[in-house]
mmCIF file with all atom_site columns, all heavy atoms in Angstrom:
data_model
loop_
_atom_site.group_PDB
_atom_site.id
_atom_site.type_symbol
_atom_site.label_atom_id
_atom_site.label_alt_id
_atom_site.label_comp_id
_atom_site.label_asym_id
_atom_site.label_entity_id
_atom_site.label_seq_id
_atom_site.pdbx_PDB_ins_code
_atom_site.Cartn_x
_atom_site.Cartn_y
_atom_site.Cartn_z
_atom_site.occupancy
_atom_site.B_iso_or_equiv
_atom_site.pdbx_formal_charge
_atom_site.auth_seq_id
_atom_site.auth_comp_id
_atom_site.auth_asym_id
_atom_site.auth_atom_id
_atom_site.pdbx_PDB_model_num
ATOM 1  N N   . ALA A 1 14 ? 125.169 72.079 244.173 1.00 41.00 ? 14 ALA A N   1
ATOM 2  C CA  . ALA A 1 14 ? 125.023 73.105 243.108 1.00 41.00 ? 14 ALA A CA  1
ATOM 3  C C   . ALA A 1 14 ? 123.622 73.010 242.576 1.00 41.00 ? 14 ALA A C   1
ATOM 4  O O   . ALA A 1 14 ? 122.971 74.054 242.322 1.00 41.00 ? 14 ALA A O   1
ATOM 5  C CB  . ALA A 1 14 ? 126.091 72.937 242.038 1.00 41.00 ? 14 ALA A CB  1
ATOM 6  N N   . ALA A 1 15 ? 123.145 71.850 242.296 1.00 41.00 ? 15 ALA A N   1
ATOM 7  C CA  . ALA A 1 15 ? 121.855 71.679 241.740 1.00 41.00 ? 15 ALA A CA  1
ATOM 8  C C   . ALA A 1 15 ? 120.728 72.154 242.692 1.00 41.00 ? 15 ALA A C   1
ATOM 9  O O   . ALA A 1 15 ? 119.686 72.614 242.244 1.00 41.00 ? 15 ALA A O   1
ATOM 10 C CB  . ALA A 1 15 ? 121.593 70.259 241.331 1.00 41.00 ? 15 ALA A CB  1
ATOM 11 N N   . SER A 1 16 ? 120.985 71.945 244.058 1.00 41.00 ? 16 SER A N   1
ATOM 12 C CA  . SER A 1 16 ? 119.915 72.314 244.985 1.00 41.00 ? 16 SER A CA  1
ATOM 13 C C   . SER A 1 16 ? 119.904 73.801 245.354 1.00 41.00 ? 16 SER A C   1
ATOM 14 O O   . SER A 1 16 ? 118.980 74.231 245.952 1.00 41.00 ? 16 SER A O   1
ATOM 15 C CB  . SER A 1 16 ? 120.059 71.468 246.246 1.00 41.00 ? 16 SER A CB  1
ATOM 16 O OG  . SER A 1 16 ? 121.243 71.824 246.897 1.00 41.00 ? 16 SER A OG  1
ATOM 17 N N   . ARG A 1 17 ? 120.951 74.545 244.933 1.00 44.00 ? 17 ARG A N   1
ATOM 18 C CA  . ARG A 1 17 ? 121.025 75.948 245.296 1.00 44.00 ? 17 ARG A CA  1
ATOM 19 C C   . ARG A 1 17 ? 121.299 76.731 243.995 1.00 44.00 ? 17 ARG A C   1
ATOM 20 O O   . ARG A 1 17 ? 122.226 77.445 243.908 1.00 44.00 ? 17 ARG A O   1
ATOM 21 C CB  . ARG A 1 17 ? 122.144 76.188 246.282 1.00 44.00 ? 17 ARG A CB  1
ATOM 22 C CG  . ARG A 1 17 ? 121.983 75.462 247.535 1.00 44.00 ? 17 ARG A CG  1
ATOM 23 C CD  . ARG A 1 17 ? 123.385 75.437 248.219 1.00 44.00 ? 17 ARG A CD  1
ATOM 24 N NE  . ARG A 1 17 ? 123.287 76.191 249.428 1.00 44.00 ? 17 ARG A NE  1
ATOM 25 C CZ  . ARG A 1 17 ? 124.339 76.473 250.154 1.00 44.00 ? 17 ARG A CZ  1
ATOM 26 N NH1 . ARG A 1 17 ? 125.587 76.164 249.788 1.00 44.00 ? 17 ARG A NH1 1
ATOM 27 N NH2 . ARG A 1 17 ? 124.179 77.161 251.282 1.00 44.00 ? 17 ARG A NH2 1
ATOM 28 N N   . ALA A 1 18 ? 120.381 76.570 243.053 1.00 46.00 ? 18 ALA A N   1
ATOM 29 C CA  . ALA A 1 18 ? 120.579 77.117 241.734 1.00 46.00 ? 18 ALA A CA  1
ATOM 30 C C   . ALA A 1 18 ? 120.831 78.654 241.721 1.00 46.00 ? 18 ALA A C   1
ATOM 31 O O   . ALA A 1 18 ? 121.541 79.086 240.860 1.00 46.00 ? 18 ALA A O   1
ATOM 32 C CB  . ALA A 1 18 ? 119.324 76.823 240.869 1.00 46.00 ? 18 ALA A CB  1
ATOM 33 N N   . ASP A 1 19 ? 120.310 79.399 242.576 1.00 51.00 ? 19 ASP A N   1
ATOM 34 C CA  . ASP A 1 19 ? 120.465 80.872 242.562 1.00 51.00 ? 19 ASP A CA  1
ATOM 35 C C   . ASP A 1 19 ? 121.519 81.350 243.404 1.00 51.00 ? 19 ASP A C   1
ATOM 36 O O   . ASP A 1 19 ? 121.750 82.603 243.487 1.00 51.00 ? 19 ASP A O   1
ATOM 37 C CB  . ASP A 1 19 ? 119.133 81.586 242.977 1.00 51.00 ? 19 ASP A CB  1
ATOM 38 C CG  . ASP A 1 19 ? 118.077 81.435 241.822 1.00 51.00 ? 19 ASP A CG  1
ATOM 39 O OD1 . ASP A 1 19 ? 118.475 81.309 240.673 1.00 51.00 ? 19 ASP A OD1 1
ATOM 40 O OD2 . ASP A 1 19 ? 116.924 81.382 242.128 1.00 51.00 ? 19 ASP A OD2 1
ATOM 41 N N   . ARG A 1 20 ? 122.212 80.507 244.155 1.00 56.00 ? 20 ARG A N   1
ATOM 42 C CA  . ARG A 1 20 ? 123.239 80.984 245.118 1.00 56.00 ? 20 ARG A CA  1
ATOM 43 C C   . ARG A 1 20 ? 124.668 80.531 244.573 1.00 56.00 ? 20 ARG A C   1
ATOM 44 O O   . ARG A 1 20 ? 124.790 79.595 243.854 1.00 56.00 ? 20 ARG A O   1
ATOM 45 C CB  . ARG A 1 20 ? 123.019 80.351 246.444 1.00 56.00 ? 20 ARG A CB  1
ATOM 46 C CG  . ARG A 1 20 ? 121.871 80.912 247.158 1.00 56.00 ? 20 ARG A CG  1
ATOM 47 C CD  . ARG A 1 20 ? 121.947 80.614 248.612 1.00 56.00 ? 20 ARG A CD  1
ATOM 48 N NE  . ARG A 1 20 ? 120.777 79.947 249.064 1.00 56.00 ? 20 ARG A NE  1
ATOM 49 C CZ  . ARG A 1 20 ? 120.672 79.206 250.142 1.00 56.00 ? 20 ARG A CZ  1
ATOM 50 N NH1 . ARG A 1 20 ? 121.647 78.967 250.830 1.00 56.00 ? 20 ARG A NH1 1
ATOM 51 N NH2 . ARG A 1 20 ? 119.494 78.701 250.478 1.00 56.00 ? 20 ARG A NH2 1
ATOM 52 N N   . ASP A 1 21 ? 125.646 81.278 244.993 1.00 65.00 ? 21 ASP A N   1
ATOM 53 C CA  . ASP A 1 21 ? 127.013 80.884 244.655 1.00 65.00 ? 21 ASP A CA  1
ATOM 54 C C   . ASP A 1 21 ? 127.313 79.597 245.321 1.00 65.00 ? 21 ASP A C   1
ATOM 55 O O   . ASP A 1 21 ? 126.907 79.316 246.495 1.00 65.00 ? 21 ASP A O   1
ATOM 56 C CB  . ASP A 1 21 ? 128.030 81.924 245.223 1.00 65.00 ? 21 ASP A CB  1
ATOM 57 C CG  . ASP A 1 21 ? 127.926 83.242 244.604 1.00 65.00 ? 21 ASP A CG  1
ATOM 58 O OD1 . ASP A 1 21 ? 127.115 83.495 243.695 1.00 65.00 ? 21 ASP A OD1 1
ATOM 59 O OD2 . ASP A 1 21 ? 128.732 84.134 244.963 1.00 65.00 ? 21 ASP A OD2 1
ATOM 60 N N   . VAL A 1 22 ? 128.057 78.743 244.658 1.00 82.00 ? 22 VAL A N   1
ATOM 61 C CA  . VAL A 1 22 ? 128.568 77.537 245.266 1.00 82.00 ? 22 VAL A CA  1
ATOM 62 C C   . VAL A 1 22 ? 130.091 77.717 245.224 1.00 82.00 ? 22 VAL A C   1
ATOM 63 O O   . VAL A 1 22 ? 130.689 77.972 244.199 1.00 82.00 ? 22 VAL A O   1
ATOM 64 C CB  . VAL A 1 22 ? 128.137 76.291 244.408 1.00 82.00 ? 22 VAL A CB  1
ATOM 65 C CG1 . VAL A 1 22 ? 128.779 75.039 245.014 1.00 82.00 ? 22 VAL A CG1 1
ATOM 66 C CG2 . VAL A 1 22 ? 126.590 76.177 244.467 1.00 82.00 ? 22 VAL A CG2 1
#
Side-chain angles (χ1 to χ4, degrees):
S16 68
R17 300 164 115 189
D19 288 331
R20 290 199 234 158
D21 293 3
V22 176

